[in-house]
PDB file of all heavy atoms in Angstrom:
ATOM      1  N   SER A  25      99.171 124.853 112.288  1.00  0.00           N
ATOM      2  CA  SER A  25     100.253 125.219 111.232  1.00  0.00           C
ATOM      3  C   SER A  25     100.676 123.970 110.507  1.00  0.00           C
ATOM      4  O   SER A  25     100.641 122.867 111.067  1.00  0.00           O
ATOM      5  CB  SER A  25     101.235 125.993 111.876  1.00  0.00           C
ATOM      6  OG  SER A  25     101.931 125.235 112.723  1.00  0.00           O
ATOM      7  N   GLY A  55     105.339 104.293 117.321  1.00  0.00           N
ATOM      8  CA  GLY A  55     105.993 105.533 116.815  1.00  0.00           C
ATOM      9  C   GLY A  55     105.542 105.912 115.390  1.00  0.00           C
ATOM     10  O   GLY A  55     106.110 106.892 114.830  1.00  0.00           O
ATOM     11  N   MET A  64      92.497  99.203  96.939  1.00  0.00           N
ATOM     12  CA  MET A  64      92.718  98.778  95.500  1.00  0.00           C
ATOM     13  C   MET A  64      91.473  98.057  95.061  1.00  0.00           C
ATOM     14  O   MET A  64      90.777  97.417  95.788  1.00  0.00           O
ATOM     15  CB  MET A  64      93.920  97.701  95.495  1.00  0.00           C
ATOM     16  CG  MET A  64      95.172  98.324  96.206  1.00  0.00           C
ATOM     17  SD  MET A  64      96.526  97.110  95.841  1.00  0.00           S
ATOM     18  CE  MET A  64      97.762  97.928  96.828  1.00  0.00           C
ATOM     19  N   LEU A  72      93.206  93.594  94.905  1.00  0.00           N
ATOM     20  CA  LEU A  72      91.930  94.066  95.610  1.00  0.00           C
ATOM     21  C   LEU A  72      92.414  94.086  97.114  1.00  0.00           C
ATOM     22  O   LEU A  72      92.985  93.111  97.644  1.00  0.00           O
ATOM     23  CB  LEU A  72      90.814  92.933  95.439  1.00  0.00           C
ATOM     24  CG  LEU A  72      90.088  92.937  94.153  1.00  0.00           C
ATOM     25  CD1 LEU A  72      89.350  91.614  94.039  1.00  0.00           C
ATOM     26  CD2 LEU A  72      89.033  94.078  94.170  1.00  0.00           C
ATOM     27  N   LEU A  94      93.707 106.040  97.457  1.00  0.00           N
ATOM     28  CA  LEU A  94      92.650 105.391  96.635  1.00  0.00           C
ATOM     29  C   LEU A  94      93.274 104.979  95.246  1.00  0.00           C
ATOM     30  O   LEU A  94      93.503 105.785  94.468  1.00  0.00           O
ATOM     31  CB  LEU A  94      91.585 106.393  96.448  1.00  0.00           C
ATOM     32  CG  LEU A  94      90.694 106.706  97.657  1.00  0.00           C
ATOM     33  CD1 LEU A  94      89.773 107.887  97.347  1.00  0.00           C
ATOM     34  CD2 LEU A  94      90.057 105.602  98.318  1.00  0.00           C
ATOM     35  N   ILE A 103      83.833 108.822  96.993  1.00  0.00           N
ATOM     36  CA  ILE A 103      84.340 109.914  97.931  1.00  0.00           C
ATOM     37  C   ILE A 103      83.600 109.980  99.189  1.00  0.00           C
ATOM     38  O   ILE A 103      84.117 110.049 100.218  1.00  0.00           O
ATOM     39  CB  ILE A 103      84.565 111.206  97.150  1.00  0.00           C
ATOM     40  CG1 ILE A 103      85.723 111.121  96.126  1.00  0.00           C
ATOM     41  CG2 ILE A 103      84.872 112.402  98.124  1.00  0.00           C
ATOM     42  CD1 ILE A 103      85.800 112.327  95.175  1.00  0.00           C
ATOM     43  N   LEU A 157      94.911 122.808  95.367  1.00  0.00           N
ATOM     44  CA  LEU A 157      93.765 122.096  95.831  1.00  0.00           C
ATOM     45  C   LEU A 157      94.171 120.895  96.739  1.00  0.00           C
ATOM     46  O   LEU A 157      93.295 120.275  97.287  1.00  0.00           O
ATOM     47  CB  LEU A 157      93.051 121.462  94.495  1.00  0.00           C
ATOM     48  CG  LEU A 157      92.198 122.328  93.678  1.00  0.00           C
ATOM     49  CD1 LEU A 157      91.700 121.530  92.565  1.00  0.00           C
ATOM     50  CD2 LEU A 157      91.056 122.995  94.521  1.00  0.00           C
ATOM     51  N   SER A 178     114.600 106.102  89.590  1.00  0.00           N
ATOM     52  CA  SER A 178     114.454 107.276  88.670  1.00  0.00           C
ATOM     53  C   SER A 178     113.378 108.329  89.187  1.00  0.00           C
ATOM     54  O   SER A 178     113.301 109.432  88.703  1.00  0.00           O
ATOM     55  CB  SER A 178     113.918 106.758  87.399  1.00  0.00           C
ATOM     56  OG  SER A 178     112.721 106.075  87.451  1.00  0.00           O
ATOM     57  N   ARG A 193     104.193 126.495  99.340  1.00  0.00           N
ATOM     58  CA  ARG A 193     102.725 125.931  99.597  1.00  0.00           C
ATOM     59  C   ARG A 193     102.798 125.015 100.692  1.00  0.00           C
ATOM     60  O   ARG A 193     103.715 124.140 100.891  1.00  0.00           O
ATOM     61  CB  ARG A 193     102.175 125.310  98.303  1.00  0.00           C
ATOM     62  CG  ARG A 193     101.846 126.152  97.152  1.00  0.00           C
ATOM     63  CD  ARG A 193     101.258 125.350  96.072  1.00  0.00           C
ATOM     64  NE  ARG A 193     100.851 126.151  94.929  1.00  0.00           N
ATOM     65  CZ  ARG A 193     101.767 126.420  93.904  1.00  0.00           C
ATOM     66  NH1 ARG A 193     103.015 125.989  93.929  1.00  0.00           N
ATOM     67  NH2 ARG A 193     101.433 127.215  92.878  1.00  0.00           N
ATOM     68  N   VAL A 195     102.124 121.865 101.270  1.00  0.00           N
ATOM     69  CA  VAL A 195     101.769 120.634 100.571  1.00  0.00           C
ATOM     70  C   VAL A 195     102.950 119.613 100.921  1.00  0.00           C
ATOM     71  O   VAL A 195     104.090 119.953 100.647  1.00  0.00           O
ATOM     72  CB  VAL A 195     101.806 120.803  98.885  1.00  0.00           C
ATOM     73  CG1 VAL A 195     101.636 119.493  98.353  1.00  0.00           C
ATOM     74  CG2 VAL A 195     100.683 121.893  98.658  1.00  0.00           C
ATOM     75  N   VAL A 220     105.926 106.486 103.341  1.00  0.00           N
ATOM     76  CA  VAL A 220     105.139 105.322 103.553  1.00  0.00           C
ATOM     77  C   VAL A 220     106.030 104.130 103.489  1.00  0.00           C
ATOM     78  O   VAL A 220     106.883 104.001 102.690  1.00  0.00           O
ATOM     79  CB  VAL A 220     103.985 105.279 102.423  1.00  0.00           C
ATOM     80  CG1 VAL A 220     103.249 103.863 102.426  1.00  0.00           C
ATOM     81  CG2 VAL A 220     103.112 106.444 102.467  1.00  0.00           C
TER      82      VAL A 220
END
Side-chain angles (χ1 to χ4, degrees):
S25 65
M64 303 186 185
L72 282 165
L94 298 175
I103 291 171
L157 285 178
S178 63
R193 290 181 180 88
V195 176
V220 173

